[in-house]
Amino acid sequence: LPMAFRDLNARRHIGLQQLSSLAGAGRALLGPMKSCKFIVDESTNQSTLICSAVRLIENLDLTSAAGQLLNETIQAQNKEFKTGMSTLLFLVGAWSNAVLECLQQNVPVSAIVSVMSEALNSCCEKVQCLQISIHDVNKEQCSSSVRPHAFKSRTCQIGCDILLNPQIFLDFQKEISASEEIVPINSCSRQDDDCNFNKHLVSPLVTFGSISPLVKPTGDKSASVIAGSGVITSSCNKKKLTHSRYFSTLEKSHFSSQQCGFQGYLSGQSAEPCECYGLGHLAMALSHGNQTSMKLLQSIVAYQQERAEWSGSSQFNIAEVVTCCLLGLPESYSCVCPGFVTLVSPEQATVIKYFEDKPLRILLMDGDLTEQYRHLGFNRACNVRTILEHPGLQEDKAGDLWLKNMLGILTSFEVNLVLVKGNVCENLLEGCIANSILVIGSVPRDVLCAFREVTGAQPVTYLTQLKASCLGSGAQVELWKASDGRAMDLGELVPVRVKVQGISLLTAVLTSTVASKMQLIEDQFWTFVYRLHHALNDGKVFLGGGAVELLCLSHIQMLGDQPLQPANNAMKDFHNPWVAASVSEYKPVVLQALARGWKQYLSVVMCNTAKAASELEACTSIEHHLQKAADCGSPSAYILKEFRRGDLFRGCSSPFADHTEVLKVYDNVTAKTEAWRRALDLVLLVLQTDAEIITGHKRNQLLNSHGSSEFMFL
């Protein structure tokens, strides 16, 4: 009779099959080099380019219960981490197939649940040895061949020294002139007022990547530093300076951020030139090759670091960053602007002409600016009915009265600018435009908080609560200008910027000429920002490039020879001695199935990143490393060694370095392990749910064939 329960028909596990089918759609989204997908809306024939598991799941038909559970799991991962969703989606499909294979071999559900749970917990503990602190990442990256803009770091510091001692410039120029590897910079004497070496070399806000869009380079352009190349150029020659005594460590002297940029972001100012770019190394390693987002983050951390030096605020605060998507401009126009950049109608933009270069009285509203809006928790009076002779006419009069009262309040307090968290009444908006009052709706809460801190304004829920003490001052509004200084008119909407002196808020302006690509650009930006945010919160990162998953594979092979330790008291729910015996019997089969999920993950990543021409080649490379790790005796030591050499799965080419160099990739610790756990928990939940349904069906069959007495015995 136990065999009747043991022989669960795998074909009846519809939930697992649905998970596998849905997850298969996200196969191309795995890895740093993702293959984008077009999602087409059949009702409007509009298409959207997506490269995220979240956007994929949002556009799939999820009418089944398993699909709904998958959606909730991915949404939970996205809400908490904003990264790791593609890994979660792929592992759900891989482990669903693995479980189905176990069921086809008549492996009991209890054994699958127990062994897989215990094995994953063991893997999560084992891979802790591949964690590295962010400070060690800085040191390792600085000592490796991939050292972004090392010459920029040095030239920036030389420029600072020259401000204090011009003789340094003369010595430095003599050394350059004597070098056979570089043509001298345009000659100038120390007495020449137009010769500003700091301007010639690098903009003060250069940190890692290209010149910060917050500062426009000025002065003579005949000699400059090319971003990302470490090359000094003149009007006729371009050669590298490879040896200089000025690359040595400077004396311990501190300069203001206006002179030489931001030093020692994570650990304060330091005499080590490499530490100036500590966050740059970390961001590069976490960017996985996304240069556009990294350049934007460069400006964000530079601005926040400058504020931190003067006000002691947080050095990297993700709550102070918002985005604004501008469709119709090339992607090269993307930049970071202090203040709040948003889109308004052309009619609202005409109001700005009256406010140019004038301080405004600002009002913040924490809610909707409509007549029907009531705050959360508001209860209307019970058992009250209003009887009107002409309901339509009375309602129109009531609306006009409300509109008149609201406009009267705004004009009486001489309000110029209103930022509303929610929606704004269209009629009231038109009335405000006629009275030269700019009203902006759908403003994020973080934006309201930023303006409250610097303007002194106190948010109100209703206009009837407005008092003179609730208003703020000092705000300014202007048409947003692109990097070339032109104000942009995008047709239906006009970008404007609201700013205040000393505001901590930053807006990442994302641009694209392709409408279907706009969502993709925004998703990639936030993924990268949150990846860096979580790395700083964790204080450590995982070795990337498949190192962690390879160690999991190696560790699972070793688990087959060890006695099973039940995880999460999974075995306490089963009191049948046959069940405990079956766990040990089927343990190798279940572990192999779990390992196939890891191996499939690695092979797909290698194929997507062009590290392998086929899955067969990828699997061969994986087996080669597994064998070497086993022969080494310490798989973790072998993986760490290969990772540092850049030979693990042949590495990936660095977009910031020469083609011969290898970029070391790192991953978030908490986000990755939570993606693993959520994927397995979902698969096991669906497995157990399907098993209960099938078991109930089996019990009904047994009741009809063997009688009630035998069923009661079961």
Side-chain angles (χ1 to χ4, degrees), residues 45-117:
N45 290 328
Q46 293 182 348
S47 60
T48 302
L49 191 66
I50 61 105
C51 199
S52 167
V54 177
R55 302 300 176 190
L56 177 65
I57 291 297
E58 289 176 352
N59 292 275
L60 291 180
D61 182 13
L62 302 176
T63 56
S64 63
Q68 291 295 328
L69 288 174
L70 177 61
N71 180 39
E72 292 178 4
T73 304
I74 290 181
Q75 292 295 341
Q77 178 78 11
N78 179 58
K79 182 178 180 181
E80 187 173 359
F81 298 106
K82 292 290 190 303
T83 182
M85 288 77 69
S86 297
T87 296
L88 192 158
L89 179 62
F90 183 87
L91 289 178
V92 165
W95 284 336
S96 295
N97 292 330
V99 170
L100 288 172
E101 293 177 5
C102 291
L103 293 173
Q104 291 175 355
Q105 301 180 48
N106 292 328
V107 178
V109 174
S110 59
I112 296 174
V113 173
S114 180
V115 174
M116 282 194 168
S117 298

Side-chain angles (χ1 to χ4, degrees), residues 372-384 462:
Q372 295 78 20
Y373 174 74
R374 298 295 182 271
H375 64 275
L376 185 64
F378 175 84
N379 295 321
R380 296 182 180 274
C382 301
N383 302 324
V384 175
Y462 307 100

Side-chain angles (χ1 to χ4, degrees), residues 581-649:
S582 65
V583 171
S584 300
E585 178 185 355
Y586 292 104
K587 178 183 175 182
V589 177
V590 178
L591 289 178
Q592 290 177 6
L594 185 67
R596 277 194 294 272
W598 291 122
K599 187 177 295 185
Q600 187 178 1
Y601 174 93
L602 286 172
S603 62
V604 171
V605 169
M606 293 177 65
C607 292
N608 289 351
T609 54
K611 297 178 185 178
S614 63
E615 289 196 27
L616 178 61
E617 180 180 338
C619 291
T620 302
S621 177
I622 294 169
E623 291 295 339
H624 172 73
H625 282 290
L626 287 175
Q627 184 62 42
K628 280 195 169 184
D631 296 341
C632 178
S634 176
S636 58
Y638 168 80
I639 293 173
L640 181 60
K641 176 184 176 183
E642 293 296 309
F643 178 85
R644 288 177 174 172
R645 291 175 52 190
D647 293 339
L648 190 62
F649 302 129

Side-chain angles (χ1 to χ4, degrees), residues 1 702 705-714:
L1 288 180
L702 289 173
S705 59
H706 297 288
S708 60
S709 60
E710 295 186 23
F711 178 75
M712 292 301 295
F713 172 77
L714 290 174

Side-chain angles (χ1 to χ4, degrees), residues 427-607:
N427 294 332
L428 179 59
L429 186 60
E430 295 177 1
C432 290
I433 294 175
N435 288 273
S436 299
I437 301 174
L438 180 60
V439 180
I440 301 177
S442 302
V443 178
R445 180 183 292 274
D446 291 336
V447 175
L448 297 179
C449 294
F451 279 96
R452 180 188 60 188
E453 293 177 359
V454 292
T455 64
Q458 297 298 323
V460 297
T461 306
Y462 307 100
L463 277 181
T464 53
Q465 300 173 333
L466 182 58
K467 299 178 182 178
S469 59
C470 297
L471 295 176
S473 60
Q476 291 181 317
V477 61
E478 63 182 8
L479 295 178
W480 178 80
K481 297 179 178 61
S483 57
D484 55 7
R486 295 182 300 167
M488 294 296 172
D489 185 356
L490 303 181
E492 297 180 357
L493 296 174
V494 179
V496 298
R497 180 163 75 116
V498 185
K499 60 181 181 179
V500 183
Q501 183 68 27
I503 192 170
S504 60
L505 183 68
L506 295 172
T507 302
V509 181
L510 309 176
T511 60
S512 178
T513 56
V514 183
S516 59
K517 193 178 179 181
M518 198 74 258
Q519 185 67 66
L520 170 64
I521 294 175
E522 186 177 19
D523 289 341
Q524 289 180 336
F525 170 78
W526 281 117
T527 298
F528 176 45
V529 171
Y530 271 94
R531 199 178 289 154
L532 179 61
H533 170 72
H534 292 307
L536 294 175
N537 283 347
D538 293 340
K540 53 191 175 182
V541 291
F542 269 143
L543 303 184
V548 177
E549 289 77 13
L550 182 63
L551 182 59
C552 289
L553 266 175
S554 177
H555 182 62
I556 288 176
Q557 290 180 348
M558 299 174 59
L559 286 179
D561 302 329
Q562 299 176 0
L564 180 68
Q565 298 295 331
N568 300 326
N569 298 323
M571 292 298 297
K572 291 185 178 180
D573 297 333
F574 304 97
H575 304 286
N576 194 325
W578 167 83
V579 175
S582 65
V583 171
S584 300
E585 178 185 355
Y586 292 104
K587 178 183 175 182
V589 177
V590 178
L591 289 178
Q592 290 177 6
L594 185 67
R596 277 194 294 272
W598 291 122
K599 187 177 295 185
Q600 187 178 1
Y601 174 93
L602 286 172
S603 62
V604 171
V605 169
M606 293 177 65
C607 292

Side-chain angles (χ1 to χ4, degrees), residues 10 15-16 32 68 73 118 138 161 169 230-231 242 252 274 290 334 355 404 407 411 433 438 442 527 548 615 636:
L16 291 175
Q68 291 295 328
T73 304
E118 187 259 346
N138 301 335
D161 279 357
F169 168 69
V231 180
T242 57
K252 294 185 178 180
C274 291
N290 190 343
S334 296
F355 298 150
K404 182 179 180 180
L407 286 174
T411 54
I433 294 175
L438 180 60
S442 302
T527 298
V548 177
E615 289 196 27
S636 58

